[in-house]
């Protein structure tokens, strides 16, 4: 993998310097030769008349003026070239678009920041679009045939992940000094450029795989249309699923997917129009036009599936969370009681040894006796081991907090647990929201390493990340870099070992809120009732069409910034 510093270095700078130095030396040698040649002529002893000798001396002195002037001009030009080259190097933009080492004459930091933001958005769009079309290519040609392109997408995604990580650190103030921050922004742009370059390099071969030179489009149309028909049936079932989840858990529990069903239907309308157009163009032997419409239809089908999958996933997660709530409440109450016991027996780090024994004994029997969510927890093991982990966590907390702080935290946790238990008994309520409140309240004083609490924290975090990722995927044409950055960091923390579900959950929910705000600010991308009826406006917001025209612009395809718009503009 090429480092960001290497990618941000001007590669042809060395060759340019050598060429200019060579020009300077050649000019200098020519001037010196011109200067020395008259003296070599003067030294030749040839008898001449006195008048002729005087004339020759005058001519020789005159001949010296021009070579000296040439040498002066060459030196002046060389100095001017050096000064100009130095100034240009301070503000030079590399071929990848990144700014080289910033000097005093560099532009405002905000310009570099905007360049980095734009590069992140572009690279993320390219990776998401390429991964999306890769799924259709695999269904058409098989996994083995698309292996090189799968590797290209994986490499590009790796570069993009590194760029998002750098951006997250930048937003957190790391590094602090301006020069280092410029280097960080240049590194972000370099990573994004490398991701795009990797995808651009495979675009032509990918097109040949999908549409052979002497083949028809039926091989690509048939699996895409089959996926479309299957999704149409799933969309109808998702409407029933969403209504049942809302009745069971309340509107607040399903607020994150409000509008998803309508947007899924909108994408299906757009897909229908473009599938029909693709068939018509294919019948007319318009291969290029058929390919454009097919790509647009595939993108709309994929995004409709994203909306439907979010509804299905949330319904399943709500059911799982509701089954887990009784076990999480019991475990959390045992942990809070253990932490309060530390304070009562002396506070702070005192009484730590007795805490582990007491938690494994009495607390363990209490935690092990409950059975409401036992099957769902699965990995809880024996009740004594469960409470022992809680006791160890409470022990750590007790050693780090004063008696007053520990009492305040346990009192707050107790109030939260009581409120959740009351809501669960009264119903309907949001089980995922309840799990978040439980784990966040108990985490400072007692968080077990295995059991209902960590399982609940992971469930809530994974659900939040999936919802945020689905929203970004289906609205990427309207989103900036901040929401994408927070989502990428949430995914990184969730995949870490050990994971950090509480922070990942908070970042994912922040990413969703920022993405929704971006969509509201984006407004209406296409004016006209016909475009909205055909779904073209939603296709632009979703990044299916790249915008730039009254019809929504060309469809986005597999590839990087240089190739993703290569299939022209479909006429719908």
């Amino acid at each position: 993998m090429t480092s960001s510093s290497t990618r941000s270095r001007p590669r042809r700078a060395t060759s340019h310097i050598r060429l200019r130095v060579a020009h300077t030396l050649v000019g200098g040698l020519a001037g010196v030769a011109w200067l020395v040649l008259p003296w070599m002529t003067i030294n030749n002893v040839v008898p001449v008349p006195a008048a002729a000798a005087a004339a020759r001396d005058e001519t020789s002195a005159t001949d010296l003026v021009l070579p000296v002037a040439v040498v002066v001009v060459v030196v002046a030009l060389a100095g001017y070239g050096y000064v100009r080259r130095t100034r240009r190097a301070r503000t030079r933009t590399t071929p990848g678009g990144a700014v080289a080492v910033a000097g005093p004459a560099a532009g405002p930091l905000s310009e570099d920041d905007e360049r980095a933001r734009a590069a992140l958005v572009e690279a993320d769009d390219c990776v998401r679009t390429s991964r999306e079309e890769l799924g259709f290519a695999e269904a058409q040609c098989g996994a083995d045939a698309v292996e090189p392109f799968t590797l290209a997408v994986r490499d590009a995604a790796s570069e993009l992940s590194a760029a998002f990580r750098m951006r997250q650190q930048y937003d957190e103030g790391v590094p602090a000094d301006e020069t280092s921050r410029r280097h960080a922004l240049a590194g972000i742009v370099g990573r994004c450029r490398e991701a795009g370059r990797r995808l651009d390099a495979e675009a032509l071969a990918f097109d040949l795989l999908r549409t052979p030179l002497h083949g028809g489009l039926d091989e690509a149309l048939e699996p895409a249309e089959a996926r479309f028909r299957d999704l149409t049936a799933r969309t109808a079932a998702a409407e029933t699923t969403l209504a049942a989840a809302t009745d069971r858990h309340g509107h607040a529990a399903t607020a994150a997917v409000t509008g998803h069903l309508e947007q899924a239907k909108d994408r299906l309308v757009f897909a229908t129009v473009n599938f029909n157009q693709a068939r018509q163009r294919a019948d007319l032997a318009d291969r290029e036009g058929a390919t454009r419409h097919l790509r647009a239809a595939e993108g709309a089908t994929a995004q409709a599936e994203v909306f439907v999958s979010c509804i299905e996933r949330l319904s399943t997660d709500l059911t799982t969370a509701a089954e887990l709530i009784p076990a999480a409440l019991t475990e959390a109450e045992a942990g809070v009681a253990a932490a309060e016991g530390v304070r009562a027996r002396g506070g702070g780090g005192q009484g730590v040894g007795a805490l582990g024994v007491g938690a494994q004994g009495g607390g363990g029997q209490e935690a092990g006796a409950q059975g409401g969510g036992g099957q769902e927890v699965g990995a809880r093991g024996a009740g004594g081991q469960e409470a022992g982990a809680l006791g160890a966590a409470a022990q750590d907390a007790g050693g780090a907090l004063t008696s007053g702080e520990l009492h305040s935290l346990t009192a707050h946790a107790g109030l939260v647990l009581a409120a959740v238990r009351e809501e669960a008994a009264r119903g309907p309520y949001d089980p995922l929201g309840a799990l978040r409140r439980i784990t966040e309240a108990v985490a400072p004083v007692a968080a077990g390493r295995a059991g209902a609490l960590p399982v609940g924290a992971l469930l809530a975090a994974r659900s939040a990340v999936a919802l945020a990722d689905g929203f970004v995927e289906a609205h990427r044409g309207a989103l900036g870099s901040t929401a994408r950055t927070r989502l990428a960091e949430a995914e990184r923390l969730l995949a870490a070992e050990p994971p950090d579900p509480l922070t990942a959950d908070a970042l994912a929910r922040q990413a969703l809120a920022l993405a929704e705000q971006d969509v509201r600010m984006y407004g209406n991308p296409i004016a006209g009732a016909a475009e909205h009826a055909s779904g073209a406006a939603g296709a632009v917001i979703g990044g299916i069409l790249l915008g730039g025209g009254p019809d929504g612009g060309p469809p986005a395809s597999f590839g990087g910034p240089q190739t993703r718009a290569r299939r022209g503009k479909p006429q719908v």
Side-chain angles (χ1 to χ4, degrees), residues 165 244 255 326 340 550:
R165 179 60 183 146
E340 182 63 24

Side-chain angles (χ1 to χ4, degrees), residues 34 67 107 283 302 332 377 421 474 499:
W34 200 348
D283 292 340
V377 175
R421 190 174 285 279

Side-chain angles (χ1 to χ4, degrees), residues 106-182:
L109 189 63
S110 60
E111 294 180 0
D112 296 345
D113 182 45
E114 287 303 316
R115 188 181 298 112
R117 290 177 182 274
L120 282 169
V121 170
E122 185 176 57
D124 190 45
D125 283 347
C126 290
V127 170
R128 287 179 178 275
T129 300
S130 298
R131 186 185 292 124
E132 172 190 284
E133 188 175 359
L134 188 64
F136 288 94
E138 183 175 349
Q140 173 189 348
C141 306
D144 293 339
V146 301
E147 180 62 28
F149 312 107
T150 301
L151 180 60
V153 172
R154 188 182 304 132
D155 291 344
S158 177
E159 293 286 347
L160 180 61
S161 296
F164 274 130
R165 179 60 183 146
M166 295 170 68
R167 181 72 217 195
Q168 178 68 26
Q169 292 175 325
Y170 182 92
D171 291 344
E172 293 171 354
V174 180
D177 62 284
E178 181 174 341
T179 300
S180 298
R181 289 176 75 78
R182 287 186 185 275

Side-chain angles (χ1 to χ4, degrees), residues 335-336 338-339 390-391 393-398 401 405-406 409-410 413 441-447:
V336 170
L390 288 170
Q395 172 180 334
D396 295 339
L401 300 171
E405 291 171 337
L406 187 58
L409 289 171
T410 54
V442 174
V445 295

Side-chain angles (χ1 to χ4, degrees), residues 45-392:
V45 181
V46 179
V48 293
R56 187 184 64 183
D57 290 340
E58 181 179 355
T59 302
S60 299
T62 304
D63 290 342
L64 293 177
V65 175
L66 187 57
V68 170
V70 170
V71 172
V72 171
V73 171
V74 169
V75 172
L77 289 175
Y80 172 76
Y82 174 79
V83 172
R84 184 182 178 190
R85 184 170 63 253
T86 302
R87 290 179 177 176
R88 289 178 61 190
R90 290 174 179 170
T91 57
R92 178 181 297 156
T93 300
T94 69
V99 177
V101 178
L109 189 63
S110 60
E111 294 180 0
D112 296 345
D113 182 45
E114 287 303 316
R115 188 181 298 112
R117 290 177 182 274
L120 282 169
V121 170
E122 185 176 57
D124 190 45
D125 283 347
C126 290
V127 170
R128 287 179 178 275
T129 300
S130 298
R131 186 185 292 124
E132 172 190 284
E133 188 175 359
L134 188 64
F136 288 94
E138 183 175 349
Q140 173 189 348
C141 306
D144 293 339
V146 301
E147 180 62 28
F149 312 107
T150 301
L151 180 60
V153 172
R154 188 182 304 132
D155 291 344
S158 177
E159 293 286 347
L160 180 61
S161 296
F164 274 130
R165 179 60 183 146
M166 295 170 68
R167 181 72 217 195
Q168 178 68 26
Q169 292 175 325
Y170 182 92
D171 291 344
E172 293 171 354
V174 180
D177 62 284
E178 181 174 341
T179 300
S180 298
R181 289 176 75 78
R182 287 186 185 275
H183 280 294
L185 293 174
I188 291 171
V189 174
R191 294 278 188 179
C192 292
R193 292 290 184 180
E194 177 61 21
R197 185 204 64 78
R198 185 72 175 88
L199 295 172
D200 281 330
E202 300 291 343
L204 178 59
F206 186 81
D207 284 349
L208 292 176
L209 174 70
R210 296 216 64 193
T211 54
L213 293 176
H214 303 291
L217 289 176
D218 287 343
E219 294 180 358
L221 275 167
E222 289 175 359
E225 288 175 333
R227 184 171 171 180
F228 170 83
R229 289 190 294 270
D230 177 69
L231 185 60
T232 301
R234 283 178 58 191
T235 302
E239 187 168 6
T240 303
T241 299
L242 180 60
T246 303
D247 291 341
R248 187 182 308 114
H249 306 292
H251 288 280
T254 58
V257 294
T258 299
H260 276 39
L261 196 62
E262 290 73 18
Q263 293 186 72
K265 294 177 180 178
D266 180 76
R267 300 296 193 275
L268 290 176
V269 169
F270 183 78
T272 300
V273 172
N274 280 275
F275 273 128
N276 291 337
Q277 289 284 348
R279 283 289 183 186
Q280 293 174 13
R281 296 299 177 92
D283 292 340
L284 296 173
D286 181 2
R287 186 188 193 85
E288 183 177 348
T291 301
R292 289 196 302 266
H293 286 287
L294 173 61
R295 177 78 279 272
E298 288 176 342
T301 302
Q303 285 197 8
E305 187 170 11
V306 168
F307 286 121
V308 172
S309 296
C310 284
I311 294 173
E312 295 170 343
R313 168 80 184 252
L314 180 60
S315 176
T316 301
D317 289 345
L318 288 171
T319 300
T320 303
E323 295 173 354
L324 194 59
I325 286 292
L329 279 171
T330 301
E331 184 178 307
E333 289 166 349
V336 170
E340 182 63 24
V342 172
R343 188 194 66 82
R345 285 191 291 271
Q350 299 178 4
V352 165
L355 172 64
V357 176
Q360 290 178 3
Q365 294 175 359
E366 178 185 357
Q370 60 86 27
Q375 295 179 351
E376 184 64 36
V377 175
R380 294 187 59 217
Q385 295 175 356
E386 175 82 17
L390 288 170

